[in-house]
Amino acid sequence: SVCAGGAPSLSYQQLKDLKKTHVLHIDVRERWEIDRFGKIPESINIPLGELVEALQMDPTEFKEQYNQKMPSKSDPVVFSCLAGTRSKQALGFATSLGFS
């Protein structure tokens, strides 16, 4: 399941529908997990340990590092992980940095 702001849990189908509305999907699993279990289409991988730093990067640096436009604090963002624990932590980090 996937963790999102107003909805603690989303199905994969709900996530696919959300992606049609240009939501940024950040997968906070470790890189080895992506290699082993596969990448979710159209997501960007920012391991949880890098997330706070990544969300405070200069937008140019973010684009170079993650090959994606950096989200603004008001852009819709969805976090995912394997079981939901790290995505909830990621949501907490993003909220504490001023993301709505």
Side-chain angles (χ1 to χ4, degrees):
S1 77
V2 183
C3 176
S9 197
L10 295 172
S11 70
Y12 184 64
Q13 186 57 52
Q14 288 169 313
L15 177 61
K16 283 172 65 173
D17 293 343
L18 256 182
K19 285 184 173 193
K20 294 174 188 161
T21 66
H22 305 291
V23 68
L24 177 63
H25 177 197
I26 299 176
D27 187 334
V28 296
R29 292 178 295 161
E30 297 298 321
R31 288 186 177 83
W32 69 264
E33 291 176 280
I34 304 288
D35 293 341
R36 187 167 175 190
F37 302 113
K39 182 180 189 300
I40 298 171
E42 298 169 32
S43 68
I44 62 170
N45 175 230
I46 305 176
L48 186 62
E50 293 175 24
L51 185 68
V52 171
E53 183 183 341
L55 293 178
Q56 298 179 85
M57 280 181 172
D58 174 80
T60 306
E61 191 182 348
F62 186 95
K63 176 101 171 113
E64 286 170 9
Q65 176 86 21
Y66 300 108
N67 199 28
Q68 179 83 36
K69 180 183 169 285
M70 183 170 178
S72 75
K73 293 197 188 294
S74 61
D75 284 344
V77 178
V78 171
F79 298 101
S80 68
C81 64
L82 195 59
T85 305
R86 287 173 288 180
S87 56
K88 284 183 179 67
Q89 286 181 286
L91 181 63
F93 292 155
T95 304
S96 72
L97 292 171
F99 285 80
S100 57

